[in-house]
Amino acid sequence: MCFKNLPIEFDAQGVASLKGGVADPYAYQPREIKRDKLEELMARNGHIKDVSISPVTRVAGALSFHAVADLQEKKFLEANSVATIFRGYEVILKGRDPRDAIYISSRACGVCGGVHSTAACEAIEMAFGISPPPLGTVLRNLALALDFLYDHPLHLFLLAGPDYSQVVVQATNPAMWEKAQVTDAPNAEVHQFKTIGDIMKGLNPLSGKLYLDGLKMTRVPREAYSVLFGKYPHPQTVVPGGMSSTVTITDFNETYTRLQKMMDWTKRMILLWDDLTEFFYEYNPEYKKVGARDANMIDLGMWDDEYSYDASYARCNEWGEARWATPGVVMNGELVTTKLQQINLGLEEFVEHSYYEDWTQNGNIRFQTDPAGSPLSPNHPWNKETMPKPSKESWKDRYTWDTAPRWDRQVVEAGCYARIWTTAAARKMPKNQFMESTGHSLKFHMPKTMLPEMDFEWKIPKIWNAFERNRARAYCMGYNLMIGYTMVLKAFDLLRQGEDKVSTKFEVPKGERIGVGFWGAGRGYLSHHLVLDKGAIVNYQIVTPSTFNASPRDPFGNPGPYEEAVLNTPILEDFDKPSDFTGVDMLRAIRSFDPCMPCTTHIYGGEKEIIREVNTCACDAEG
Amino acid sequence: MGEIPEKHVGEAGSHKQHISSTASLPDQVGNVGRRTMEELVEDICASQGKTQLSLGPLEKVYVFWLAGMSCDGCTVSVSGATEPALEDLLTGSIPGVPLVILHHYVLQLEAGDHYMRTLELAEQGKLDGPYVITYEGSIPDENLTVGGEPFAGEGSLPLFAPSEERRRVSTAEWIKRLAPGAAATIAIGTCATWGGIPAAYGNVTGSMSVMDWLGKDYRSALGLPVINIPGCAPVGDNFTDAVQAILLFLQGLGPLPEMDELGRPVWQFGETVHRKCGRAGYYEEGTFATEYGDKECLVEVGCWGPVVQCNITEKGAISHMGGCMNAGGPCIGCTMPGFPDKFAPFYKAPPGSTVSSNASRLMGSIIRPLRRISQRERNREIRWHDTVPSGWAMEQGDTSITHKILEFFYERMQFLGSNRPGRDLPEEKYPTGYRSLPKQVYGENYQVLPEERAEKAAKNNK
């Protein structure tokens, strides 16, 4: 029984139905945000500081953050995550030929290059009733492994990295910098940075070796990606029913060489992030609370098994569990489900604190059940009709263009760490020579390169915080790399068998069809929900990892993951007077999620016209 | 490498020489290094000592990267650029090219008001160098959000004020504020250059391009209209290449970078992508892919390359590698003003191809067999007559009479008006001079395989 809050129960065969005797099963009473006490406190106390960071830099896209800090108690009293852009991608998709969805939705986000096109592709395949030939699936998996091999280093060394650099540590915790310079790095022999101070110097923007090498290494997987899929971002070879890549031995060899190049560097970097993390914990155990949250996470899995994946909703539990990353929901550190249908049923989106109107009020609920006959919430993406309502920012009311997606009405976070966590816990990974899911860890073996062969083990951590997110991201580099390597070997094997077909023929169906792409981005969970009719898109909904992570409070009063992480963060930086406070601990907490705003706030599905007001102009821009 | 001089770190007020000194400002929220990226870059350069040689009037240029309705794909592309590499531009490591101080939300050390303050200083003309604005993403019509939060906002004003006194500022407003004083305004990516996907049919935000927003009469401080570098995402190198070309021109070193009537660099966008496509040869021979994954020309599975101005098949996507059609992806016209609607639905053959590809099919049906005949002969060494001594060869000695006749005339035409290699014409002036020695030594039939020669010798001996 995976649901605690939703009115769904399962019989002995696992068939879902609504709990009997409940009149309006999905109804809820939204809780108001109370701020009176806080406002009173702010008026009274000089050490309560209103902190507004607009924009939060070193994240992808437009994010602002508002917080109230108690500089005496060294903690945060309020936190608001604010998405400041809205583009309306789904209305652009509405009424279009479904074939357009792949390349248009791809442009929802250019940070992970091909995740949206692939998710759209899987949604279309479900709706069209087609699936790729084995080599098509293997190529798709390879693309998404290469994608993250660029994406994770970008975050670790260019976005989050500078927060742990000499420049920042010396400015915000001078004593720690002193200590770091005389602390030997335990894995120096492998990564070649003698002290923790050397690592911190390496992370200095634009001059540190780790920063510059990190930037250069992000190009290596992108080169292989471009050879196989045309370009990065927005690959040009994603087609319904497979890929359109013309593969040659040269393409695979060039990819192989680049994976080998990444292998050596990845071995070093995993151990380097281990050393940095342990140093912060030892220097001050309070750092374990930076960005801390209960381990509640969600992932849809990815990297399909080439023989199991058939794109059907009926069999998605089976092909989902056969994936190289297992789908799952983790609640308080425990895996509660690995079934895609259950994960899908638990999904709801709320807009009480976002600049949208609630679509459930107009009574037009499209689907009462999913294609398998299980009950579906009016707040589920297949039923979503979001109507934008540009309003004034108010911490008590609406304050973001992001919505609040929840699972079983609980706050879950998404990330590559969620993916490695569910995979490690589920013990469902296909048998192979390099990786093993043990139930409490993910082990992977990396072959000899310049460095000898090495074994790594990412253990499911007892605590969950900013440092563990970054550490898991470093381990994910190794995990993704071995997925990529496995896929090249699989592709070779298929070619040896003469299986060189990469696509399937398709026709656009005319009837009403429904589809969902369950997939993953560099930052975790990604779903595209699609409804077709008469050969055109009638509804298209995207839920991304940062839609979860950057979400505002929900109607049940729970803050979103960034907000909760900041509320749990102690203020550990040194400052003499309140005006010297920089907020570095809070920024470390936010950045550890690897925020990606472009795809967070594309959402729009409504028909409502916005009335243009020409008399007043608040933006001055036309003046 | 990597160490920043310590004297600069953590000492409030130690940056008197910088106009944007931030450590002494009344509030430090977001200024996690107690200096901005601009100050950090100056410190890095200062740690390398003073430069003596000056190769032009410009020492540094600020580049403000603003984003509206964007996906960050242009940023990601440019981070992959290597011709020149982004990090070389940003550290002043290219001789003759001024130091590029990039002010970018994805890379900046500082956040919040300290980040926005540099933009305000630029608007007020208080920077110690010229600035360029680069805009990524389309510009929404913020008249639609009157009374609410903008569709695309960046930062809030006034800086360092309590949150209730602030208002979020749209990127549309920032560009109006900064464009008049900018040395140049560069629109990067198809959203900024032409409107792109946010401005496609169904556009709810009133999105448009930078040119549309600033108008026909816009001129930068240097008198330039908007420079457009399209692509979704653009080739990252096209951006750094154009920036370097413009800077070298301004330094009095490089040639004039020419722009076309839509503000695109001519040397990048003057040709159709088909002209340099690796598959254009298949088109010429009239052979077309019918399934995705096929190696032939992609026109009939939805490629618009013959009418699209782009250089990706020549330049590659990154490090001269990849490129849509090179990998098997049909061109959907992502560099063009008509993208996406004038290229939709994707994966469908462009209507114009019915005429042109059938014409080339007809033409190809004649050209192809002729080429295969002459190709076959080009696959033969001059000393292979009837035998091909390859263990891999499927057939040997398969030269037909027709082939021999054709090749005879072919060879005549090949050397018409010129000499065959190994000539003995014209008459040699110096008897031992140019004579082809092997012929002298081995006689007429020296260009034969050892086996053949042995056979001939045996015959002669008999």
Side-chain angles (χ1 to χ4, degrees):
Chain A
M1 180 60 213
C2 64
F3 296 121
K4 216 170 66 185
N5 302 318
L6 285 181
I8 301 174
E9 56 191 3
F10 296 90
D11 66 14
Q13 279 76 43
V15 177
S17 60
L18 278 178
K19 276 181 192 161
V22 190
D24 195 357
Y26 284 101
Y28 60 89
Q29 193 58 45
R31 268 177 61 174
E32 279 176 35
I33 299 177
K34 293 218 164 57
R35 236 181 149 244
D36 309 351
K37 273 190 192 150
L38 186 71
E39 279 166 6
E40 194 192 326
L41 204 61
M42 285 165 78
R44 216 155 21 94
N45 284 311
H47 56 82
I48 308 286
K49 190 176 169 82
D50 190 80
V51 181
S52 169
I53 301 189
S54 172
V56 176
T57 51
R58 277 187 279 121
V59 301
L63 173 70
S64 278
F65 210 87
H66 167 261
V68 175
D70 183 333
L71 296 183
Q72 210 161 335
E73 295 293 315
K74 307 260 182 185
K75 61 178 189 181
F76 291 95
L77 306 173
E78 188 183 49
N80 302 98
S81 165
V82 184
T84 64
I85 123 170
F86 165 80
R87 288 174 298 167
Y89 266 45
E90 281 120 340
V91 80
I92 290 168
L93 279 167
K94 251 186 143 172
R96 273 181 195 267
D97 192 300
R99 287 174 290 185
D100 290 357
I102 292 174
Y103 291 140
I104 288 188
S105 71
S106 178
R107 272 73 183 175
C109 184
V111 181
C112 317
V115 298
H116 287 282
S117 40
T118 311
C121 205
E122 297 218 339
I124 287 173
E125 284 166 358
M126 189 181 283
F128 285 17
I130 52 169
S131 62
L135 187 59
T137 302
V138 167
L139 274 176
R140 195 178 276 180
N141 292 348
L142 177 57
L144 275 300
L146 290 168
D147 194 320
F148 305 160
L149 285 175
Y150 127 88
D151 200 43
H152 297 335
L154 181 82
H155 180 261
L156 288 172
F157 298 102
L158 274 73
L159 307 186
D163 285 337
Y164 307 91
S165 69
Q166 175 216 354
V167 170
V168 169
V169 172
Q170 199 177 12
T172 52
N173 295 82
M176 193 203 292
W177 167 241
E178 296 304 322
K179 173 86 176 159
Q181 283 173 291
V182 295
T183 307
D184 285 336
N187 290 304
E189 212 169 295
V190 178
H191 58 62
Q192 306 288 316
F193 290 81
K194 193 167 173 293
T195 65
I196 301 296
D198 291 334
I199 295 176
M200 289 177 172
K201 270 187 226 165
L203 290 168
N204 279 342
L206 285 176
S207 65
K209 186 172 165 45
L210 288 166
Y211 185 96
L212 291 171
D213 281 356
L215 175 58
K216 285 174 189 149
M217 290 312 278
T218 66
R219 293 175 187 145
V220 175
R222 283 189 275 175
E223 288 166 1
Y225 195 100
S226 298
V227 163
L228 286 168
F229 314 108
K231 67 193 202 326
Y232 192 99
H234 310 319
Q236 196 54 45
T237 61
V238 186
V239 294
M243 299 295 275
S244 73
S245 304
T246 309
V247 288
T248 64
I249 288 183
T250 308
D251 297 342
F252 281 119
N253 274 346
E254 285 176 352
T255 305
Y256 205 83
T257 316
R258 276 157 188 79
L259 288 172
Q260 169 244 329
K261 209 169 163 185
M262 293 296 290
M263 232 173 248
D264 217 48
W265 184 72
T266 303
K267 286 175 186 169
R268 295 176 208 277
M269 293 306 114
I270 292 174
L271 295 178
L272 183 129
W273 277 93
D274 261 343
D275 286 355
L276 194 63
T277 303
E278 295 302 330
F279 169 77
F280 271 83
Y281 288 174
E282 270 164 44
Y283 178 77
N284 183 353
E286 282 290 289
Y287 276 107
K288 292 182 181 173
K289 295 183 190 158
V290 171
R293 276 187 82 243
D294 286 340
N296 296 338
M297 16 189 132
I298 190 165
D299 197 74
L300 295 172
M302 62 187 301
W303 299 312
D304 286 305
D305 177 74
E306 67 274 28
Y307 297 110
S308 304
Y309 172 66
D310 65 2
S312 72
Y313 190 76
R315 283 196 64 253
C316 72
N317 287 342
E318 288 80 44
W319 56 253
E321 287 179 343
R323 286 179 157 182
W324 287 80
T326 317
V329 176
V330 174
M331 283 295 169
N332 295 310
E334 295 300 322
L335 194 63
V336 296
T337 179
T338 53
K339 306 240 180 296
L340 280 173
Q341 287 190 5
Q342 293 182 353
I343 301 176
N344 188 41
L345 290 183
L347 185 66
E348 290 174 293
E349 264 186 274
F350 301 96
V351 293
E352 275 75 3
H353 301 296
S354 317
Y355 305 135
Y356 304 95
E357 281 177 50
D358 185 356
W359 70 93
T360 59
Q361 302 305 317
N362 58 22
N364 298 325
I365 301 307
R366 205 187 290 268
F367 300 106
Q368 302 290 341
T369 61
D370 72 356
S374 306
L376 210 56
S377 163
N379 287 68
H380 188 276
W382 265 327
N383 284 323
K384 193 180 164 196
E385 281 292 331
T386 317
M387 296 165 276
K389 183 184 179 186
S391 352
K392 240 3 214 179
E393 190 172 81
S394 160
W395 307 132
K396 278 190 254 189
D397 190 11
R398 297 175 193 271
Y399 57 86
T400 179
W401 280 113
D402 190 15
T403 61
R406 295 293 183 260
W407 190 83
D408 190 24
R409 308 204 160 169
Q410 300 182 72
V411 187
V412 283
E413 65 178 276
C416 62
Y417 37 77
R419 178 155 56 226
I420 198 173
W421 189 310
T422 52
T423 307
R427 287 208 285 176
K428 289 186 191 295
M429 183 182 250
K431 274 217 173 332
N432 69 94
Q433 335 173 36
F434 306 110
M435 295 162 281
E436 189 199 348
S437 154
T438 66
H440 55 84
S441 71
L442 188 84
K443 287 182 177 172
F444 51 91
H445 176 86
M446 293 173 78
K448 181 196 172 310
T449 46
M450 290 284 274
L451 286 168
E453 56 180 0
M454 288 168 81
D455 286 303
F456 292 89
E457 183 174 16
W458 179 80
K459 298 191 184 98
I460 292 178
K462 300 267 180 298
I463 46 170
W464 191 239
N465 59 33
F467 290 89
E468 292 305 329
R469 286 188 194 97
N470 288 338
R471 189 211 300 253
R473 191 168 288 115
Y475 275 83
C476 275
M477 281 167 43
Y479 170 32
N480 294 336
L481 185 54
M482 294 324 295
I483 294 280
Y485 187 67
T486 306
M487 291 306 145
V488 176
L489 294 183
K490 267 183 181 292
F492 281 157
D493 191 45
L494 286 167
L495 291 174
R496 285 165 71 103
Q497 297 170 38
E499 290 269 1
D500 58 357
K501 233 173 113 53
V502 292
S503 66
T504 312
K505 284 218 185 294
F506 65 86
E507 266 174 37
V508 180
K510 295 291 172 217
E512 191 183 44
R513 299 289 183 99
I514 180 166
V516 51
F518 296 120
W519 199 240
R523 290 142 186 88
Y525 179 107
L526 176 64
S527 65
H528 285 211
H529 286 81
L530 161 83
V531 184
L532 300 182
D533 199 11
K534 300 190 177 68
I537 297 168
V538 292
N539 195 12
Y540 203 97
Q541 294 293 334
I542 303 171
V543 181
T544 74
S546 301
T547 318
F548 280 99
N549 295 348
S551 64
R553 278 175 186 268
D554 60 30
F556 318 105
N558 309 308
Y562 296 170
E563 298 178 338
E564 189 183 345
V566 168
L567 289 170
N568 289 335
T569 298
I571 296 172
L572 300 170
E573 64 176 296
D574 298 330
F575 52 90
D576 298 331
K577 43 188 193 304
S579 63
D580 283 344
F581 169 76
T582 66
V584 69
D585 299 299
M586 146 187 175
L587 285 165
R588 280 176 184 148
I590 297 168
R591 287 188 183 122
S592 69
F593 289 89
D594 195 1
C596 183
M597 307 312 288
C599 48
T600 306
T601 50
H602 48 271
I603 303 136
Y604 177 88
E607 307 273 3
K608 192 169 178 276
E609 224 175 288
I610 309 167
I611 295 155
R612 188 186 164 109
E613 291 180 43
V614 284
N615 299 334
T616 50
C617 177
C619 67
D620 283 348
E622 282 205 330
Chain B
M1 195 64 176
E3 188 160 11
I4 308 294
E6 301 204 3
K7 64 183 170 60
H8 288 282
V9 180
E11 295 167 20
S14 71
H15 291 279
K16 293 272 190 297
Q17 74 274 28
H18 308 307
I19 49 142
S20 58
S21 174
T22 49
S24 55
L25 284 170
D27 192 298
Q28 293 299 314
V29 170
N31 197 21
V32 292
R34 299 204 192 281
R35 53 179 155 184
T36 60
M37 195 75 158
E38 286 78 25
E39 292 171 300
L40 181 71
V41 170
E42 288 203 12
D43 290 342
I44 294 170
C45 292
S47 73
Q48 297 168 336
K50 248 189 131 46
T51 37
Q52 304 291 325
L53 180 71
S54 166
L55 285 167
L58 289 171
E59 256 180 53
K60 61 173 158 187
V61 174
Y62 289 85
V63 174
F64 293 102
W65 189 293
L66 299 167
M69 315 295 265
S70 97
C71 74
D72 277 12
C74 304
T75 297
V76 167
S77 274
V78 170
S79 75
T82 50
E83 302 280 353
L86 186 66
E87 62 274 22
D88 289 341
L89 282 172
L90 304 193
T91 49
S93 308
I94 308 170
V97 177
L99 169 66
V100 173
I101 300 185
L102 179 64
H103 192 80
H104 196 309
Y105 56 93
V106 172
L107 297 173
Q108 215 69 3
L109 182 60
E110 76 280 9
D113 289 346
H114 286 266
Y115 170 79
M116 297 312 293
R117 182 168 172 267
T118 322
L119 268 77
E120 208 176 47
L121 289 171
E123 189 193 356
Q124 294 161 353
K126 290 185 185 162
L127 292 181
D128 56 347
Y131 70 89
V132 168
I133 39 180
T134 300
Y135 195 91
E136 168 181 355
S138 29
I139 300 184
D141 183 354
E142 300 291 0
N143 278 324
L144 301 173
T145 59
V146 169
E149 290 298 313
F151 286 132
E154 184 164 73
S156 53
L157 290 174
L159 301 176
F160 305 110
S163 68
E164 57 272 18
E165 287 169 29
R166 290 160 175 260
R167 68 180 177 90
R168 194 156 322 274
V169 180
S170 67
T171 51
E173 179 177 341
W174 277 117
I175 195 165
K176 274 272 159 97
R177 282 167 170 246
L178 291 169
T185 296
I186 303 176
I188 182 167
T190 297
C191 294
T193 52
W194 326 122
I197 287 184
Y201 285 128
N203 175 1
V204 266
T205 54
S207 280
M208 63 190 107
S209 69
V210 174
M211 286 200 310
D212 295 343
W213 176 236
L214 292 178
K216 193 178 171 62
D217 296 331
Y218 167 76
R219 296 291 180 276
S220 73
L222 289 181
L224 300 171
V226 178
I227 295 166
N228 285 320
I229 302 183
C232 187
V235 174
D237 282 317
N238 280 346
F239 178 76
T240 57
D241 175 49
V243 166
Q244 175 160 292
I246 293 165
L247 290 174
L248 285 174
F249 171 72
L250 294 177
Q251 292 288 61
L253 298 172
L256 178 78
E258 195 191 339
M259 304 292 155
D260 73 5
E261 77 284 2
L262 293 179
R264 292 173 283 207
V266 168
W267 72 97
Q268 294 172 347
F269 294 94
E271 301 280 345
T272 66
V273 74
H274 178 70
R275 288 184 190 142
K276 297 186 178 179
C277 177
R279 295 174 191 241
Y282 285 107
Y283 183 99
E284 190 199 22
E285 290 190 359
T287 46
F288 298 93
T290 54
E291 259 179 62
Y292 295 109
D294 285 352
K295 63 184 178 177
E296 295 88 356
C297 173
L298 299 166
V299 162
E300 301 205 329
V301 290
C303 181
W304 289 78
V307 295
V308 169
Q309 284 163 261
C310 172
N311 62 354
I312 200 166
T313 46
E314 180 195 10
K315 186 89 182 170
I318 181 170
S319 312
H320 278 282
M321 297 178 80
C324 309
M325 287 68 87
N326 299 347
C331 173
I332 56 169
C334 77
T335 54
M336 299 292 276
F339 179 76
D341 295 324
K342 291 188 180 173
F343 298 93
F346 307 136
Y347 312 105
K348 190 165 177 272
S353 72
T354 331
V355 178
S356 56
S357 61
N358 280 328
S360 84
R361 209 173 250 129
L362 182 70
M363 181 86 154
S365 64
I366 304 163
I367 290 174
R368 260 191 337 266
L370 292 176
R371 281 185 178 166
R372 294 301 85 81
I373 291 170
S374 85
Q375 181 187 12
R376 184 187 175 283
E377 195 56 35
R378 287 340 94 187
N379 254 331
R380 297 285 181 270
E381 284 184 16
I382 51 169
R383 65 195 69 75
W384 296 350
H385 299 293
D386 288 319
T387 318
V388 177
S390 161
W392 298 99
M394 298 296 284
E395 297 166 59
Q396 298 186 353
D398 57 344
T399 317
S400 65
I401 292 289
T402 346
H403 180 84
K404 276 186 173 159
I405 296 168
L406 277 171
E407 184 54 26
F408 175 80
F409 288 110
Y410 195 95
E411 218 182 319
R412 283 295 121 102
M413 281 159 73
Q414 188 185 349
F415 296 114
L416 193 67
S418 58
N419 288 325
R420 281 187 64 137
R423 61 197 178 157
D424 38 20
L425 282 172
E427 243 4 87
E428 300 291 358
K429 232 180 191 173
Y430 310 102
T432 55
Y434 306 128
R435 225 164 193 0
S436 40
L437 287 170
K439 209 169 182 175
Q440 245 174 2
V441 176
Y442 301 118
E444 270 312 307
N445 285 324
Y446 78 95
Q447 282 290 31
V448 295
L449 296 168
E451 235 173 69
E452 208 178 328
R453 189 178 309 124
E455 263 174 43
K456 281 190 176 155
K459 237 185 226 170
N460 288 347
N461 286 346
K462 273 179 193 169

